[in-house]
């Protein structure tokens, strides 16, 4: 029973530490995003750009599912990203009624610059850490990513079964 209590306490401490780090990263990201381009994007637009970077080409319906947003909201968001020159819409190769979304070269450049600025800010902080703590951070973040991907895959599987 004692191990369950300490395991729960460890889990709670890890969640609290992760929340604190996320809040610090939000400050760094905000600075980096506004420095990256004269036309910074909102958080939801940035999420859409990340999805496009990972999964392009993608149609509006699929993008909406991934983002958990209504089709009309996704369409308006893509209108704004298109106006900024960050996305391109082309006729779908599989359906004449659908459009495919892709990052434009300007969108790719925006993400590349944003990521570079964020990485530089992270390197500045991480360089001040002792090597053993850097190694522990890398291992912990790798484990977090794997657990997140596993949970996302399970949630997607559960959603597919209930549909």
């Amino acid at each position: 029973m004692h191990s369950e209590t300490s395991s729960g306490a460890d889990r709670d401490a890890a969640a609290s530490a992760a929340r604190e780090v996320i809040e610090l990263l939000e400050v760094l990201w905000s600075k980096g995003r506004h420095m990256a381009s004269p036309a910074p994007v909102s958080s939801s637009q940035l999420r859409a750009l990340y999805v496009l970077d990972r999964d392009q080409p993608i149609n509006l319906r699929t993008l909406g599912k991934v983002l958990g947003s209504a089709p009309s909201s996704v369409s308006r968001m893509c209108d704004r990203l298109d106006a900024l020159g960050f996305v391109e819409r082309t006729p779908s190769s599989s359906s004449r009624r659908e459009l495919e979304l892709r990052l434009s070269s300007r969108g790719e450049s925006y993400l590349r610059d944003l990521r570079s600025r964020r990485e530089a800010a992270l390197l500045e902080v991480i360089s001040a850490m002792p090597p053993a703590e850097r190694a522990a951070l890398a291992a912990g973040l790798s484990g977090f990513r794997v657990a997140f991907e596993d949970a996302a895959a399970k949630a997607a599987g559960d959603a597919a079964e209930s549909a």
Side-chain angles (χ1 to χ4, degrees):
M1 186 69 147
H2 176 59
S3 67
E4 265 185 46
T5 304
S6 74
S7 174
D10 291 346
R11 184 192 65 221
D12 293 348
S16 180
R19 179 196 45 79
E20 290 172 0
V21 168
I22 289 167
E23 290 170 357
L24 292 171
L25 289 173
E26 286 174 339
V27 171
L28 284 173
W29 289 176
S30 178
K31 290 178 184 176
R33 185 169 57 225
H34 294 298
M35 292 169 43
S37 167
V41 296
S42 70
S43 297
S44 57
Q45 290 169 333
L46 186 57
R47 283 182 50 223
L49 292 176
Y50 287 146
V51 171
L52 288 171
D53 186 45
R54 184 187 67 226
D55 296 333
Q56 63 187 336
I58 192 171
N59 63 33
L60 281 173
R61 184 176 7 92
T62 304
L63 180 60
K65 285 180 183 176
V66 171
L67 296 175
S69 299
S72 59
S73 297
V74 175
S75 181
R76 284 191 303 274
M77 179 183 0
C78 289
D79 288 343
R80 290 188 291 272
L81 291 170
D82 188 23
L84 289 170
F86 288 176
V87 300
E88 297 172 346
R89 299 176 192 198
T90 57
S92 171
S93 57
S94 61
S95 169
R96 287 185 279 166
R97 294 177 14 181
E98 290 184 352
L99 291 176
E100 291 180 337
L101 300 167
R102 288 182 175 76
L103 282 180
S104 66
S105 58
R106 183 172 180 192
E108 290 171 350
S109 176
Y110 176 81
L111 284 181
R112 191 172 37 254
D113 186 45
L114 177 64
R115 286 173 170 149
S116 175
R117 289 177 186 278
R118 286 179 170 181
E119 190 168 322
L122 286 171
L123 283 171
E124 187 176 327
V125 174
I126 291 171
S127 294
M129 295 172 67
E133 289 181 6
R134 284 196 300 259
L137 175 65
L141 290 174
S142 177
F144 182 86
R145 186 184 70 248
V146 168
F148 177 85
E149 290 168 351
D150 289 348
K154 181 183 180 323
D158 291 347
E161 286 178 14
S162 66

